[in-house]
Amino acid sequence: MEIKALRLEFESEIKNKINQKTKPIGSLGLLENTALQLALIQSNKANTLISHISINKPTALVFAGDHGISEEGVSIAPSCVTRQMVQNFMAGGAAINCFCQANNIEFNVIDAGIIEPITEASSELPSNLINMRLGAGTKNFVHESAMTMEQVELGLSYGEQVVTPIIKNGSNLIILGEMGIGNTSSATAITACLTHTEVDLCVGVGTGITAEQLFKKQTLIDKALARFDSDNPLTVLKEVGGFEIVEITGAILAAAQAGVCVLVDGFIVSAAALVACKINSNVRDYLIFAHESHEFGHQLLLRHLKAKPLLNLGLRLGEGTGAAVALPLLTAAAAFYNNMASFEDAGVTV
């Protein structure tokens, strides 16, 4: 994919517009950084300096997949919960559904490879369920590659196929989330490998495992990383990735190629963002990080990507919930950029 770095020719004018608002310089903190990034992204896409930031049809995409490593008991829940939660998403009963409804976010769930597919015997599948299955869950990456390279390449393509029509339909903000029992193990392995960090500094409790399970999780991920010696991002996906992580990576790459902003959720989506940035470093320009979780790996990963997340609420649910909750902050950043008076307009002398 050809992904262009953001041209900075508009940056000084955007900063000047922000600084001339009726406020002390920098007093709106990260909202100013957010407005600058959104204005830069949209000015680059329009190929001219924009005077108005728009947030059109924000769309949440939650990718679901099962993980072979879950059979090792590294999570509080069995793999069947992944499918049950997908059904909950479709019924509108999950936290992400509530937050999407509260913030007027369109919602879709993608079956990237749960063990048992969703089928409806007597009626059509819900329109917000997208089938992009790469298989019935990954292999147990402690003992063998999580997937084949063909599945990696197909998964990247599937992610692109999901996001491209949504952008063509007018969305200029993609919100990414995930569901997959065992996927913090995959995110931890990816982070440790691509940041060259010891596993014990990346591993965390995920959804709430015991100290004994945490030690086991660390030991198993160490064993998995000892199987191969590569920090090539595609190889890392093949060896320790998840089907949902691969497709999220493809969605991020496609959004960046289209010049569209991506609002990144927590640890697992951030791990996919890390992979996308390793594939093409220009991707980083299009990413806004919603929140910082309590996962050590997520905190390390954010530092590695030089990201300043908008929120720190102790969130660790996934599903895209942190990103959905952060959307009003982007709306606020756009509102002050678009509507706040300048010192000159307001007749305020400083």
Side-chain angles (χ1 to χ4, degrees):
M1 290 184 176
E2 180 186 0
I3 298 172
K4 297 178 181 178
L6 290 181
R7 305 190 311 277
L8 301 181
E9 62 195 81
F10 307 115
E11 185 175 35
S12 61
E13 292 181 78
I14 294 170
K15 283 183 175 179
N16 183 62
K17 177 173 179 174
I18 292 171
N19 290 340
Q20 289 304 310
K21 300 293 185 180
T22 46
K23 61 173 182 59
I25 291 175
S27 60
L28 287 177
L30 286 178
L31 292 181
E32 296 191 20
N33 298 351
T34 302
L36 172 61
Q37 188 174 359
L38 288 170
L40 270 176
I41 290 171
Q42 295 184 14
S43 293
N44 270 257
K45 188 171 179 60
N47 207 31
T48 186
L49 178 66
I50 60 153
S51 59
H52 183 95
I53 294 172
S54 63
I55 298 179
N56 301 327
K57 296 184 179 180
T59 302
L61 302 171
V62 176
F63 291 79
D66 274 308
H67 292 253
I69 192 175
S70 65
E71 67 191 35
E72 302 282 353
V74 293
S75 177
I76 63 169
S79 289
C80 62
V81 171
T82 303
R83 185 179 190 274
Q84 291 166 1
M85 282 304 301
V86 169
Q87 291 174 309
N88 193 25
F89 296 148
M90 290 159 50
I96 184 59
N97 299 107
C98 298
F99 299 155
C100 284
Q101 291 161 11
N103 294 308
N104 296 313
I105 300 168
E106 296 186 25
F107 175 79
N108 291 283
V109 59
I110 297 91
D111 179 359
I114 62 177
I115 291 174
E116 183 183 354
I118 305 292
T119 58
E120 294 288 336
S122 59
S123 63
E124 293 184 1
L125 290 173
S127 59
N128 65 348
L129 176 66
I130 301 172
N131 182 6
M132 290 288 176
R133 290 176 57 80
L134 293 170
T138 59
K139 304 293 185 182
N140 184 347
F141 67 63
V142 176
H143 307 294
E144 59 184 314
S145 300
M147 66 192 81
T148 66
M149 189 57 73
E150 289 75 18
Q151 287 172 311
V152 171
E153 293 169 353
L154 183 59
L156 294 175
S157 175
Y158 278 173
E160 179 183 8
Q161 289 176 46
V162 170
V163 83
T164 297
I166 290 168
I167 292 172
K168 287 183 177 178
N169 194 39
S171 175
N172 69 351
L173 182 66
I174 301 299
I175 296 170
L176 295 173
E178 45 60 44
M179 177 62 213
I181 298 301
N183 63 10
T184 59
S185 294
S186 189
T188 299
I190 290 168
T191 300
C193 195
L194 292 183
T195 64
H196 304 285
T197 304
E198 295 298 323
V199 171
D200 64 340
L201 298 177
C202 302
V203 72
V205 298
T207 48
I209 57 177
T210 65
E212 183 180 356
Q213 286 175 302
L214 181 63
F215 178 75
K216 181 178 182 181
K217 182 176 176 180
Q218 176 186 328
T219 302
L220 291 171
I221 294 171
D222 273 323
K223 183 177 179 180
L225 295 183
R227 286 193 300 98
F228 67 100
D229 182 18
S230 175
D231 61 0
N232 178 289
L234 297 185
T235 301
V236 172
L237 285 177
K238 169 181 173 289
E239 294 296 335
V240 295
F243 289 152
E244 79 279 37
I245 294 174
V246 174
E247 294 190 12
I248 292 169
T249 303
I252 291 171
L253 290 167
Q257 184 182 41
V260 167
C261 180
V262 176
L263 185 54
V264 178
D265 189 46
F267 187 25
I268 289 83
V269 178
S270 294
L274 175 64
V275 175
C277 289
K278 294 294 184 180
I279 293 172
N280 189 316
S281 61
N282 293 337
V283 166
R284 180 64 186 84
D285 291 350
Y286 300 89
L287 306 179
I288 294 178
F289 290 82
H291 75 105
E292 177 180 308
S293 78
H294 281 179
E295 287 285 312
F296 297 135
H298 191 219
Q299 296 165 18
L300 183 148
L301 194 159
L302 291 171
R303 291 195 298 272
H304 182 82
L305 290 173
K306 297 179 173 60
K308 294 182 178 180
L310 295 170
L311 298 169
N312 189 339
L313 300 175
L315 302 177
R316 54 183 177 87
L317 176 59
E319 303 178 5
T321 49
V325 167
L327 177 61
L329 297 180
L330 273 66
T331 304
F336 97 76
Y337 183 86
N338 297 340
N339 303 320
M340 189 175 179
S342 68
F343 288 115
E344 182 179 0
D345 291 339
V348 176
T349 303
V350 294

